[in-house]
């Protein structure tokens, strides 16, 4: 029984079925090759979505692009690995579970650390797979057998290994440092997690009395509550205004503490009074100045940003309440000398929106400079390429100015820092395994650091840890460096830059694990092969149809799953691909998706037409198994112009599409396939072969069979061309072509079409263009002349090139059928001037057709028109000769009136001559 396609194209049913099939059959598993020859390798790491995540349009674009590239490489015969996983997302996940606890009236502290972490694991088990399930709906051809979670035991082990090695190399240190502190999240956050925003604020001027003098020094601040922690006032050594005060002290108002006047570059003589307060515990620049002058660091706030015991009478107040109280007291005591409006670049926590407080705390840091140096070198040398290219400079500029990386977070969920402090002698022990004893005093009382690592620390290692590092695995040898990374600009510094730093550090000797018996690489070779990926493609943003950024507050967020349910995954993927020009944001309009659903529908109907004919001819539908592994159109016999043409076009398009994908011009690839499949294959080729295909004459049997065979061959090859962009519908029809007995388990494993020079036939393409142009011209002329659809018209053709005459004669029946023509004659003189004719570069064509006109009715209409025109002209003339009107009316109105009159006069003359032509009474 022939396998029938259902009458209507229903993407939902097809897509779920194939998504399950691909997964169940493990079709996208890249098994590790043994020793010996390895095919071309193409490997790609999926940017691991947060385990708390839901799929959004950005993911959908990202994954569509990755899937297109991966499927294309797989079909080209590469050993292809697309490695999926999820990120434990420290702070996001912890907050999710804390919210859940709050709804039960509990907090994480009620549970305690261990029980809380247990709870997070439960949460993850229950909800953590949601985003991966959504990915399956997209058809993402990832290797599900290799799925990882960043908190898996082996990956956590690798994280500890990296930490210990960096610590031993003195590249990880613990230090007091000013960090960005979020009082709501209760943790340090990195510079990248702080969003700055200009807001109107105040600049307060406060005067500090100089000890043993009646003088004051005036300083200015936007955060007056921090003065409680001042430990100096700085002036510039070159500032003459203060020379006489060098070496003196001031009294800190409200606190009545004496603090020194220091000489430091921090004070800029050009700015304000030239004197500044120094608060080492509450400002990053002051912190550095404090180190230079050995100043005490007085922390006046606690972790919730409430004033602490160091704030004297203000202890216990929230920072903003303290600000008010401090200002009131300064004013009352005569120390507040001015208040000015001032724009403040306020830093807010990206997650909670709380104003970030610079805070002194003990944190773990990565000494970044040695790592950054290599990460700069590999990009400067082109060992990693960026697309679009401008991201290279953006990356480098950031790397040139990079600061040490604060990697500790005051959270419970995450990779706990592998450092212990001896409860007795306070020795710090950093180790791979929990130490039983202090290695200094022998005490059995070491306590583990309570902080966890920044989530980006573990994700920075993924390109090598997900392949088995620190073991010298075969996976690492075969699949590292990965070939490509596709990601968004928003994580260029968070993630991309850090992967490069970590990859280049741990995948060069001596950190790089090497299998026994391998030759050592040269220094340069080792550097080139240490990169986590050879190319980075930074994709654009998906905006709404009006080019607005999608945001919850604007309410314009499109849920990709909803779009998919409405139009199908294939159409949604195609929309994104067709708009994904490198560096250009996508204005996503679902009406386009509807258009691409129609494209799928068109292909579906064309397939049904094909099967109808195959079945009618009683032929074996099954193609020879050679076909899908062929890189072109196999078994195609080019016997007619349209055959030679479609074969040539197919090869041209295949060449173009391969080139476009090579340089991530997804939009050009998708649009070219669309134009070919719909515009050329469905609209022209299928129409042109219909008479051959449907002929019932016995003498034409061979030609009919060839036509049918050609149709199936070209269709099958076109499906392969389209497959990476629309994987589901192509899989469905492809299986139907093989009648359920395909030579391979999936079209995804078939060969991607490559251009075959020998099948390119430019002459046929030119001839077909002329033929198409002729047919379209006749159709347009018929429409202009309002020829009834049923009426066949004779045409005359004048050729500028005689060569075309035989082409037209050979294809006479096609022209007659497709343009509804009954008689074609050739003439020796140009037809360009005739009414009902069209002039082109290669031919003139004339549709011989007398418009049948009801003369009486037409004359009546023309006379009425003439009357109206004459009335309008008379009115205009009257106005234009009225001097007082001319004096008052604006010039442009008068000019408009004159122009109108002129146009009406032209129309009047035309109408008059038509009336004469018709001989109206
Ligand atoms: Zn926060
Ligand atoms: Zn000890």
């Amino acid at each position: 029984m022939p396998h029938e396609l259902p009458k209507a194209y229903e993407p939902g049913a097809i897509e779920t079925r194939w998504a399950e099939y691909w997964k169940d059959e493990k079709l996208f598993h890249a098994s590790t090759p043994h020793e010996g020859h390895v095919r071309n390798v193409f490997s790609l790491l999926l940017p691991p979505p947060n385990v708390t995540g839901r799929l959004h349009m950005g993911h959908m674009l990202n994954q569509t692009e990755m899937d297109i590239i991966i499927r294309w490489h797989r079909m080209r015969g590469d050993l292809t690995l697309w490695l999926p996983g999820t990120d434990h997302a420290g702070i996001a996940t912890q907050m999710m579970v804390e919210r859940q606890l709050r709804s039960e009236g509990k907090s994480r502290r009620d549970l305690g650390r261990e029980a809380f972490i247990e709870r997070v694991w439960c949460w993850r088990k229950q909800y953590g797979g949601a985003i991966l399930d959504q990915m399956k709906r997209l058809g993402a051809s990832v290797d599900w057998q290799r799925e990882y979670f960043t908190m898996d035991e082996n990956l956590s082990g690798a994280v500890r290994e990296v930490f210990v090695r960096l610590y031993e190399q003195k590249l990880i240190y613990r230090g007091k440092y000013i960090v960005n502190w979020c009082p709501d999240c209760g943790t340090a956050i990195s510079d990248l997690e702080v969003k700055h925003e200009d807001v109107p604020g105040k600049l307060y001027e406060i005067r500090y009395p100089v000890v043993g003098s009646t003088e004051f020094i005036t300083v200015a601040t936007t955060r007056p509550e921090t003065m409680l922690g001042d430990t100096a006032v700085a002036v510039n050594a070159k500032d003459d205004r203060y020379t006489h005060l060098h070496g003196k002290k001031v009294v800190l108002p409200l606190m009545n503490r004496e603090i020194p006047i220091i000489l430091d570059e921090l004070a800029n003589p050009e700015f304000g009074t030239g004197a500044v307060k120094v608060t080492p515990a509450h400002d990053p620049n002051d912190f550095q100045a404090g180190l230079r002058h050995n100043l005490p660091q007085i922390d006046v706030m606690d972790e919730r940003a409430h004033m602490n015991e160091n704030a004297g009478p203000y202890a216990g107040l929230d920072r903003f309440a303290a600000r008010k109280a401090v200002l009131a007291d300064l004013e009352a005591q005569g120390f507040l000398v001015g208040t000015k409006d001032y724009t403040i670049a306020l830093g807010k926590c990206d997650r909670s929106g709380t104003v970030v407080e610079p805070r002194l705390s003990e944190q773990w840091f990565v000494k970044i400079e040695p790592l950054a140096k290599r990460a700069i070198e590999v990009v400067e040398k082109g060992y990693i390429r960026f697309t679009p290219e401008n991201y290279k400079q953006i990356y480098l500029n950031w790397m040139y100015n990079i600061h040490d990386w604060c990697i500790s977070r005051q959270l419970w969920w995450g990779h706990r820092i592998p450092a212990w402090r001896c409860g007795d002698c306070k020795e710090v022990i950093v180790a791979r395994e929990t130490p039983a004893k202090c290695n200094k005093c022998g005490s059995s009382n070491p306590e583990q650091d309570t902080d966890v690592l920044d989530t980006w620390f573990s994700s920075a290692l993924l390109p090598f840890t997900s392949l088995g590092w620190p073991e010298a695995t075969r996976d690492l040898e075969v699949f590292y460096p990965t070939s490509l990374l596709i990601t968004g600009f928003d994580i260029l510094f968070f993630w991309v830059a850090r992967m490069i730093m970590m990859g280049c550090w741990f995948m060069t000797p001596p950190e790089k694990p090497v299998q026994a018996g391998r030759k050592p690489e040269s220094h340069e070779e080792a550097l080139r092969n240490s990169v986590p990926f050879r190319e980075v493609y930074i994709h654009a943003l998906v905006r709404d149809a009006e080019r607005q950024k999608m945001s919850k507050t604007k309410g314009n967020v499109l849920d990709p799953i909803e779009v998919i349910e409405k139009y199908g995954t294939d159409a949604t993927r195609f929309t994104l691909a067709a708009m994904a020009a490198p560096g250009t944001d996508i204005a996503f309009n679902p009406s386009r998706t509807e258009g691409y659903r129609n494209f799928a529908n068109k292909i579906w109907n064309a397939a049904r037409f094909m099967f109808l004919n195959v079945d009618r001819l009683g032929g074996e539908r099954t193609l020879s198994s050679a076909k899908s592994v062929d890189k072109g159109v196999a078994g195609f016999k080019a016997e007619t112009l349209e055959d030679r043409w479609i074969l040539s076009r197919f090869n041209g398009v295949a060449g173009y599409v391969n080139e476009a994908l090579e340089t991530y011009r997804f939009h050009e690839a998708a649009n070219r396939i669309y134009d070919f499949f719909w515009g050329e294959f469905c609209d022209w080729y299928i129409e042109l072969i219909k008479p051959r295909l449907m002929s019932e004459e016995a003498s034409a049997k061979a030609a009919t069979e060839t036509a049918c065979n050609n149709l199936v061959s070209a269709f099958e090859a076109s499906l392969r061309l389209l497959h990476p962009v629309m994987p589901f519908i192509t899989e469905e029809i492809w299986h139907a072509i093989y009648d359920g007995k395909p030579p391979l388990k999936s079209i995804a494993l078939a060969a991607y079409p490559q251009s075959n020079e020998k099948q390119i036939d430019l002459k046929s393409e030119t001839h077909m263009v002329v033929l198409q142009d002729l047919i379209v011209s006749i159709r347009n002329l018929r429409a202009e002349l309002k020829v009834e659809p049923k009426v066949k018209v004779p045409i005359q053709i004048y050729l500028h090139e005689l060569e075309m005459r035989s082409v037209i004669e050979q294809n006479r029946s096609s022209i007659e059928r497709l343009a509804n023509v009954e008689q074609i004659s050739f003439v020796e003189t140009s037809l360009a001037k005739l009414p009902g004719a069209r002039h082109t570069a290669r031919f003139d064509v004339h549709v011989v057709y007398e418009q049948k006109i009801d003369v009486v009715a037409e004359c009546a209409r023309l006379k009425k028109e003439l009357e109206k025109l004459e009335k309008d002209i008379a009115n205009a003339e009257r106005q234009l000769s009225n001097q007082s009107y001319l004096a008052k009316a604006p010039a442009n109105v008068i000019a408009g009136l004159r122009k109108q009159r002129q146009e009406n006069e032209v129309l009047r003359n035309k109408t008059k001559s038509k009336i004469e032509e018709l001989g109206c009474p």
Side-chain angles (χ1 to χ4, degrees), residues 749-767:
L749 306 177
Y752 199 72
Q754 305 292 319
S755 177
N756 177 355
E757 289 285 313
K758 285 186 202 136
Q759 293 178 339
I760 301 251
D761 180 348
L762 294 179
K763 198 164 185 181
S764 296
E765 291 198 27
T766 312
H767 289 170

Side-chain angles (χ1 to χ4, degrees), residues 91 182-186 189 349-354:
I91 198 162
C182 174
D184 267 348
C185 299
I189 55 179
C349 170
D350 200 14
R351 195 163 293 280
S352 66
T354 310

Side-chain angles (χ1 to χ4, degrees), residues 470-473 477 509-521:
E471 303 303 321
T473 61
E477 200 176 36
E511 314 304 328
K512 182 181 182 177
V514 180
Q515 290 203 325
R518 290 287 187 268
K519 262 196 289 178
E521 297 168 300

Side-chain angles (χ1 to χ4, degrees), residues 422 424-427 438 440-443:
C422 173
D424 296 319
C425 75
K426 305 295 173 204
E427 171 78 354
C438 167
K440 196 173 174 196
C441 75
S443 148

